[in-house]
Amino acid sequence: MSVVRHNLRSRGRISPAIWLVLPSAVLMIFLFAYPMAEGFRAAFVDPDTATVSLRNWDRMVSDPQFWAAVRNTLLLIVVVIPLQFVLALTMSLILQAKPRGSAVYFYLWAIPLAVSDLAAGLVWLSIFADRGYLNSVLLSLGVQPFSWLSYMSPGTQFMAVATAEIWRATALVLVIVVSGLQGIPKEYDEAASVLGATYWQRLWQITLPLLRPSLQVALILRTILAFQTFAVAQALTGEGFPLLVGETYRWYSALNNSNVASAYALVIMGISMLTAFIYLHVLRDQSRQVTS
Amino acid sequence: MADIKIENLVKIYPGSSELANDNVSMHIADGEFMVLLGPSGCGKTTLLRQIAGLELPTSGAIAIGGRDVTYLPAHKRNLSMVFQSYAVFPHRRVRHNIGFGLAIRKRPRQEIEEKVAWAAELLQLTDYLDRFPAQLSGGQRQRVAVARAIVVDADVLLMDEPLSNLDALLRLSFRSELKRIVEQIGTTTVYVTHDQSEALSLGDQVAVMRKGRITQLGNPLDVYDWPADTFVGGFIGSPPMNFFDGSISGGHLTIGGNQISAPVGLDHLGAVRLGVRAEAIRVADPGTPDCLEGEVLVAEPLGASTLLTVMLGGHQLKVQAKPTIRTRSGDKILLAIDPEAIRVFDPESGVSLLGATRA
């Protein structure tokens, strides 16, 4: 009797689980799945004939700025990310040694996390501009000022963008590494040290391997975000230092071509996914694969 | 191998006003097994960590093998240690965990392999050498930690409650195994525990600690038989030593309303606190002279013996009786106490009044 009633009641009703999942599912479909599907469509459809074609990709690749943007984006990642990791690791090891005022250092070093890309770019613009702080200091020291951000000297342009990026985004790595370090029980370090390991031996053989999960997360996050670097370069150099996301923006707004912009967006997504996959594969942790 | 000399060691943790170690001095002979025993917070682990170099003393000195190591970093002391949490490196296979200390000392590969194989054999880990710690049980991880500590040719082996995370059965079997292994390698060992039975069964010497000080240091059986004060008597032994008030005068010991012969050499002490081990009290046949009468509160048969809780002159006494005894709560029984087994303490301070003559 009760079984029948239960069946009757549940037939016309939707399970509460579905109601609970629904809001986020709807949100994901509207804000994520739909735009992505639309992006794919736009990238592979010829805007004039409305047929499937590779014309947008052709236009993207034949644009002289495209390869410059690919090169600059990769160069920035290759130079900036290792430096950021070395810096963040050094800073978090200093914090872990708990010197006087270490809590203050942590908050000071984490401040850039709260600064927006564009604001960070503008801050560094005020330093590197022709009449900026750096040149003022140089002038007062009797050194000839230099046009750091001029298109005539791509080397200093790159250096300025890289410096600003390191300043802005190292804090993210720092926060992840600090929390990772705090999660490692100190007995491991103590055991190694009693067994005769010096500080550097402990760092390389104990701390860093145990920190691997955190480093992996930081590396993936940082790399994906680095592919999206845009506002800093825009603020410092205008169009002088093209990056992939900057080009996407230029095609979408200035050139009013959402199809080629979509192709750019897909390129960025593809590279990001590939890198994340490679990281996960190369850095996978054998000791966690419990087989028996 | 080496001896350890600790002189007037004082440790105050930063931000605390209490002395974690209060003027501790001891000498641990070469090859000796020293157990630091005490309740939690007594400073035994602090002392061990200072020997290890993981904490630095506020004042005092530590010398290992004649070399002053007081402020030497841990990795320069040539020690090895087993931690309470085992601290087996999770990212290294068992083989590389055991060989860690040797690899750090840059020993030849062949020697590392031989020693790892030897230790694995000794601790029954041979089949697990290529596993990661996550694939081992708690007892096996513990074995890895011990193997890792014994393969290095260390001057001193330190152990911080290595058995406390094992279940009761495993603890008992591993205890005897540990004793055999340490005897075999013969390294000077300092072992921290809060378990009195471990201290008695393992140590050549036991240092009982309380509030940062060493209360008594000696051979385990001496410490058991001749506690320096009521704290030691109450802490060591299961059940702990019985304590009750009495008085001694004219060669007689008065407890409650009863009178028996006093221990030899103690004639006129007045009010004292008496201590007797449960196994030194015998249940006597009715009519036996020089006995105390008590009332059974609880009788707990334990197999090898029966533990009686007896009410005597307003005090509860634990009595270890023969397993064949038939008695129930409410029964009146006669208790005979061997006068030689009675320990006498100052009623105020709890310090032994016999200890000075004996020790």
Side-chain angles (χ1 to χ4, degrees):
Chain A
M1 197 34 203
S2 67
V3 175
V4 174
R5 194 193 298 157
H6 180 77
N7 279 346
L8 278 176
R9 274 179 60 184
S10 62
R11 187 168 298 158
R13 301 180 81 202
I14 299 167
S15 151
I18 293 192
W19 283 113
L20 288 170
V21 172
L22 200 61
S24 56
V26 168
L27 218 61
M28 288 292 276
I29 288 168
F30 272 98
L31 295 179
F32 196 76
Y34 169 70
M36 194 150 99
E38 178 57 28
F40 268 99
R41 193 199 61 79
F44 288 102
V45 166
D46 187 325
D48 299 330
T49 63
T51 53
V52 175
S53 88
L54 291 176
R55 208 182 119 207
N56 301 320
W57 295 79
D58 207 32
R59 283 188 74 176
M60 173 181 80
V61 175
S62 54
D63 181 31
Q65 292 281 69
F66 173 75
W67 291 107
V70 170
R71 191 202 61 207
N72 287 344
T73 307
L74 293 180
L75 191 66
L76 201 61
I77 286 173
V78 168
V79 171
V80 165
I81 289 185
L83 281 173
Q84 282 181 328
F85 271 75
V86 171
L87 269 175
L89 261 173
T90 312
M91 284 151 80
S92 36
L93 290 171
I94 292 173
L95 287 177
Q96 214 197 12
K98 293 207 167 33
R100 198 177 285 264
S102 58
V104 179
Y105 285 130
F106 180 71
Y107 286 109
L108 277 180
W109 287 341
I111 283 178
L113 263 187
V115 178
S116 84
D117 306 22
L118 190 60
L122 292 173
V123 167
W124 285 93
L125 181 64
S126 70
I127 293 171
F128 285 120
D130 285 355
R131 292 169 181 273
Y133 291 111
L134 180 57
N135 277 341
S136 306
V137 171
L138 287 179
L139 198 61
S140 69
L141 293 173
V143 180
Q144 189 65 31
F146 188 81
S147 267
W148 304 100
L149 301 173
S150 155
Y151 68 96
M152 301 287 283
S153 68
T156 57
Q157 245 184 3
F158 172 74
M159 185 213 70
V161 173
T163 309
E165 262 302 284
I166 289 172
W167 178 83
R168 187 185 69 79
T170 302
L172 177 71
V173 185
L174 174 76
V175 171
I176 295 173
V177 171
V178 163
S179 77
L181 274 181
Q182 285 171 347
I184 302 175
K186 71 178 188 340
E187 279 88 358
Y188 294 130
D189 191 60
E190 290 181 347
S193 115
V194 175
L195 286 167
T198 62
Y199 181 81
W200 291 106
Q201 285 173 321
R202 285 177 348 243
L203 181 65
W204 283 105
Q205 300 189 27
I206 307 296
T207 312
L208 286 181
L210 291 176
L211 199 57
R212 176 156 63 184
S214 303
L215 292 177
Q216 203 171 6
V217 167
L219 196 57
I220 291 172
L221 261 181
R222 217 15 243 136
T223 311
I224 289 175
L225 289 176
F227 277 117
Q228 298 170 9
T229 312
F230 160 49
V232 167
Q234 193 85 17
L236 282 173
T237 67
E239 314 250 296
F241 190 77
L243 291 168
L244 280 172
V245 175
E247 285 308 291
T248 314
Y249 176 71
R250 189 171 66 94
W251 277 94
Y252 189 85
S253 59
L255 303 177
N256 207 9
N257 186 333
S258 61
N259 299 75
V260 174
S262 297
Y264 264 104
L266 289 186
V267 167
I268 298 166
M269 189 182 79
I271 303 179
S272 304
M273 283 171 66
L274 184 70
T275 341
F277 176 78
I278 292 172
Y279 283 159
L280 285 171
H281 191 73
V282 170
L283 296 172
R284 77 177 182 283
D285 186 356
Q286 280 180 298
S287 71
R288 288 182 188 238
Q289 294 170 340
V290 179
T291 48
S292 61
Chain B
M1 264 172 264
D3 68 327
I4 305 173
K5 198 164 192 168
I6 297 168
E7 277 172 31
N8 307 97
L9 205 68
V10 174
K11 172 69 183 176
I12 303 169
Y13 280 107
S16 160
S17 58
E18 265 177 60
L19 279 77
N21 280 145
D22 183 0
N23 203 18
V24 171
S25 296
M26 66 166 76
H27 180 249
I28 303 166
D30 187 7
E32 198 170 62
F33 195 120
M34 167 67 81
V35 177
L36 305 178
L37 172 70
S40 58
C42 73
K44 55 191 190 300
T45 297
T46 304
L47 183 57
L48 188 81
R49 289 174 62 85
Q50 288 173 99
I51 299 173
L54 299 172
E55 302 283 351
L56 295 181
T58 310
S59 69
I62 301 170
I64 297 175
R67 178 172 65 138
D68 180 32
V69 298
T70 316
Y71 297 105
L72 206 64
H75 68 265
K76 291 186 178 166
R77 296 190 181 200
N78 193 26
L79 309 171
S80 64
M81 183 161 172
V82 181
F83 287 76
Q84 185 174 6
S85 59
Y86 314 150
V88 172
F89 307 130
H91 61 290
R92 293 175 152 247
R93 293 177 195 276
V94 169
R95 181 187 302 283
H96 299 121
N97 255 293
I98 299 177
F100 181 81
L102 296 168
I104 288 290
R105 286 165 167 78
K106 303 217 163 55
R107 291 293 168 78
R109 171 181 288 232
Q110 200 196 340
E111 183 196 332
I112 296 179
E113 274 173 21
E114 281 168 9
K115 286 207 165 177
V116 168
W118 165 78
E121 181 76 39
L122 198 62
L123 288 147
Q124 295 152 38
L125 287 166
T126 309
D127 295 341
Y128 305 102
L129 280 176
D130 288 314
R131 294 213 189 166
F132 282 105
Q135 298 161 294
L136 300 179
S137 71
Q140 288 166 337
R141 270 179 238 176
Q142 167 67 323
R143 287 162 188 279
V144 175
V146 172
R148 184 177 66 182
I150 63 170
V151 287
V152 292
D153 206 5
D155 288 337
V156 174
L157 177 58
L158 305 171
M159 302 201 193
D160 185 6
E161 311 220 15
L163 304 182
S164 63
N165 285 351
L166 300 178
D167 64 66
L169 207 62
L170 209 54
R171 195 180 310 159
L172 209 61
S173 70
F174 200 58
R175 191 172 79 191
S176 49
E177 221 172 307
L178 197 63
K179 184 160 185 170
R180 178 176 61 88
I181 292 166
V182 173
E183 269 170 11
Q184 189 181 333
I185 61 171
T187 310
T188 312
T189 304
V190 185
Y191 185 104
V192 162
T193 183
H194 64 265
D195 182 335
Q196 52 91 23
S197 64
E198 269 173 37
L200 293 176
S201 59
L202 291 171
D204 295 323
Q205 295 275 307
V206 176
V208 186
M209 295 187 67
R210 184 192 192 190
K211 291 181 181 164
R213 289 168 172 272
I214 293 178
T215 311
Q216 187 172 10
L217 198 163
N219 171 294
L221 289 182
D222 280 350
V223 173
Y224 181 83
D225 276 337
W226 299 91
D229 60 19
T230 50
F231 166 75
V232 176
F235 192 75
I236 292 185
S238 171
M241 191 175 242
N242 293 300
F243 294 107
F244 45 92
D245 293 322
S247 66
I248 295 177
S249 62
H252 289 287
L253 179 61
T254 312
I255 308 159
N258 302 292
Q259 230 178 32
I260 56 171
S261 320
V264 181
L266 296 167
D267 292 341
H268 299 282
L269 279 171
V272 287
R273 174 150 298 160
L274 302 161
V276 187
R277 291 277 177 204
E279 67 270 19
I281 309 176
R282 199 164 42 80
V283 179
D285 297 326
T288 314
D290 222 12
C291 283
L292 305 166
E293 196 188 48
E295 183 188 329
V296 176
L297 283 180
V298 190
E300 299 167 81
L302 300 174
S305 64
T306 294
L307 187 64
L308 304 178
T309 308
V310 181
M311 202 69 185
L312 181 94
H315 295 279
Q316 283 188 17
L317 248 63
K318 296 285 184 189
V319 177
Q320 193 177 318
K322 286 182 182 153
T324 49
I325 192 168
R326 293 285 170 266
T327 182
R328 290 189 303 168
S329 61
D331 287 355
K332 299 270 191 237
I333 53 168
L334 281 184
L335 300 174
I337 302 177
D338 178 6
E340 294 302 308
I342 295 177
R343 304 291 171 252
V344 184
F345 302 93
D346 186 286
E348 298 291 318
S349 64
V351 174
S352 172
L353 299 173
L354 297 167
T357 54
R358 181 64 170 67

